[in-house]
Amino acid sequence: MSGEEERALPGRPLLSDDLPPTRRPTGPLPPPITTGPNVSSPRYERVSRWSQLSTYYVPIGVACAVAFFFLLGSLRYFSVSFVIQNLPAGIGPCETSLEFTTYTFVIGLGLAMGLGMVRAHPPRRDPSLRRKKARGRFSYLWQWPLYGFATGYVQAIRGTPFLVQLYIVFFAVALTAPSFSFLGWSQFYWIGFIALLINTTGYQAEAIRGGIQSVEAGQIEGAKAVGLTRFQTFFRITMPQTLRLVTLPLTNEWISNFKTATILSYISIFELYEWSSLNIGLNDNRPVEAFVLLTIFYLGINVTLSRVMTYVEKTRRIPGLGTPTPEVGMAKRLFGTGGRNRDLLGLGAVHVSARDAPGPIQGSPPSTEDTNSA
Amino acid sequence: MSSIRVKGVRKSFGELEVLRGVDLEVNSGEVLCIVGPSGSGKSTLLRCMNLLVIPDEGQIFLDDVALTDPRIRPEWVRQNIGMVFQSFNLFTHLTVKRNVMLALRHVKRMNRAKAEKVAVSQLTRVGLADKLNAYPAQLSGGQQQRVAIARALAMDPKAILFDEPTSALDPESIHEVLAVMSRIGQEGMTMAVVTHEMGFAKEVADRVVFFDAGRVVEEGTPDEIFERAGHERTQAFMKKILR
Ligand SMILES: Nc1ncnc2c1ncn2[C@@H]1O[C@H](COP(=O)(O)OP(=O)(O)O)[C@@H](O)[C@H]1O
Ligand SMILES: [Mg+2]
């Protein structure tokens, strides 16, 4: 695994006994530090003027995009009205793309939970099994084939391009099975569906593995110490925390899956990319408009989803559980502030990060109405 | 209440021999303090007592039941011997009340109403009646540790093990946690406490054990161990600690 992927996973705490007292989170979390146009406090007004700009990321971004769009319109070979007229025609193919993405995502999630669970527990002897029990010593050996399969699967998916995976499924099915149609979908559609499902399952499994492994070892010990069995511990402690921790990584995976689905056009599945490049780019001979249309569809859906999910995650977050992943952090920086301010459009309060704030922040900042009520 | 007896317990992690034949007794209703240098195996010893670690050799009895008997379920042992950790180990995703209720519901199989009643009464006992619906991360260290104590008490255990319960706390929190522990001790709970709080050991402990390099070096009343230690390793340790 490359360092980059490792970083995307929530950090795995050491056994809490290993941490020196100062590193251990003991006190209550300080309330989120927010400030905005209507909060007056000399200390928090000294935030640099540039960071105040982040208040207006979204409106500025939208304005820039619209300006660029009309600037393109001033060129001889680009027609704004053509793009607008052809937007409705893209809705059908867009639905096809969304169906492929979402169905494979949901089914993949179920499979990925199993794979992620296996990946999160490399085979080893359960230390709490008693030595005298004969079956204890080698009882874990059966786990090897399972773990080996899961690891091989994930490595294969992450280590090869989706296009290659698609063609392997394509030729494997096309060369062996007679042509068929099932539930209104032709053979090609099913090939694309299966390939995409195989692909997203691998990525989601890794997200879930990361979530499971980032549940603190101390809490699992705490659960054991009150008498919960291993299964109870897994389903009552590990799983509920994992599901919260992976909300944002899985949102990213959905977006990734949506974009990967463009490759289904290689086997002539009539999804968004195929529609745009064939009907608009080739038949109408309007290549620039074709790709601007694609940008509008993809960006519109992905940015909306990303922001809504960030907002939902933030407002429903349990204190002390979960940190934003780097990818979403980046999206947040590009497109405005997240839901901590309950401000979906990023028009109101500014979230001051520790980096922007003047000097170390100790104690509680001046209270605002919307702190910490989540 | 019940007694715990440890007989000839040995435990190695790979090459490292952590417990080298420990004999120890925590009598019924007694508060036993275990002191000793870091890395000497005190935590491992406590964890053997509730089978979080399985000893390689030796036996552990809870009253007359040999916990080391393979037929005993570890869950049964842990249900009956509570444990409080240095790092609290509360469940982050559950409120304080649900932290306490979880094992009542799913280990003791109480119904919701009854579990809730027990949880509220134990949390009141440790002075947290006003924090029932807070999440652990919203509490101070001392409050979190008191929740952990309430969680152990709620199971109505026969004994409770404390592994450096105040080592992660600030002085003010240390005081509030020790106060709760003293009261539980006075109410007759069997307790084994690994601690560096010599004040607590002197005042509350019935007996003190000095533990070093995987063995019990010396044991006696607090007075004997702190003031008139017979063994030179004990003396050296006390000199460092009591300075
Ligand atoms: N699960 C484990 N695996 C390997 N070594 C361990 C494990 N638990 C403890 N040890 C080692 O055993 C020794 C004693 O540890 P511990 O019982 O925590 O000491 P204490 O609590 O007295 O500081 C240490 O050297 C520690 O590294
Ligand atoms: Mg220790």
Side-chain angles (χ1 to χ4, degrees), chain A residues 16-17 24 26-29 127-128 130 218-219 221 223-229 232 236-237 240-241 318-320, chain B residues 47 51 54 67-70 72 75 78 85-87 89-93 106-107 135 137-139 141 144 155 168:
Chain A
S16 38
D17 258 359
R24 245 169 263 127
T26 47
L29 291 185
S128 68
R130 289 147 199 278
Q219 291 188 46
E221 200 161 70
K224 276 189 184 170
V226 285
L228 265 68
T229 62
Q232 286 175 326
R236 306 226 170 252
I237 310 295
Q241 296 196 26
I318 290 173
Chain B
R47 295 152 65 84
L51 300 189
I54 305 291
L67 305 184
T68 34
D69 185 328
I72 302 280
E75 288 81 24
R78 295 171 198 152
F85 299 88
Q86 178 178 0
S87 45
N89 294 354
L90 298 177
F91 310 128
T92 321
H93 64 302
H106 303 294
V107 178
Y135 285 99
Q138 293 169 322
L139 303 181
Q144 289 189 54
M155 295 299 285

Side-chain angles (χ1 to χ4, degrees), chain A residues 153-234:
Chain A
Y153 180 92
V154 167
Q155 299 287 12
I157 294 305
R158 298 203 311 174
T160 56
F162 177 62
L163 185 55
V164 173
Q165 297 162 15
L166 179 63
Y167 273 135
I168 288 177
V169 175
F170 179 81
F171 284 112
V173 175
L175 295 180
T176 53
S179 75
F180 63 87
S181 133
F182 179 56
L183 295 178
W185 267 7
S186 75
Q187 192 179 10
F188 281 17
Y189 277 60
W190 282 111
I191 289 169
F193 186 86
I194 290 166
L196 197 59
L197 176 64
I198 290 174
N199 180 269
T200 190
T201 300
Y203 283 99
Q204 289 186 59
E206 277 307 85
I208 288 170
R209 176 187 70 96
I212 292 176
Q213 290 187 330
S214 65
V215 174
E216 285 173 305
Q219 291 188 46
I220 294 175
E221 200 161 70
K224 276 189 184 170
V226 285
L228 265 68
T229 62
R230 276 201 303 168
F231 284 97
Q232 286 175 326
T233 304
F234 188 80

Side-chain angles (χ1 to χ4, degrees), chain B residues 11 34-35 60 161 170 187 194 207 214 224:
Chain B
K11 178 70 192 180
I34 303 171
V35 299
I60 297 171
L161 314 172
D170 56 283
E187 286 168 15
V194 171
R207 252 170 351 113
E224 283 164 4

Side-chain angles (χ1 to χ4, degrees), chain B residues 2 26 57 72 74 87 112 178 182 186 191 193 198 222 228:
Chain B
S2 311
V26 194
E57 270 177 50
I72 302 280
S87 45
R112 183 182 294 271
L178 291 181
S182 309
Q186 279 153 14
M191 290 165 49
V193 186
M198 296 305 156
R228 303 188 293 278

Side-chain angles (χ1 to χ4, degrees), chain A residues 66-79:
Chain A
V66 171
F68 180 68
F69 187 57
F70 282 97
L71 198 73
L72 271 178
S74 72
L75 299 174
R76 186 174 40 78
Y77 50 77
F78 185 84
S79 159

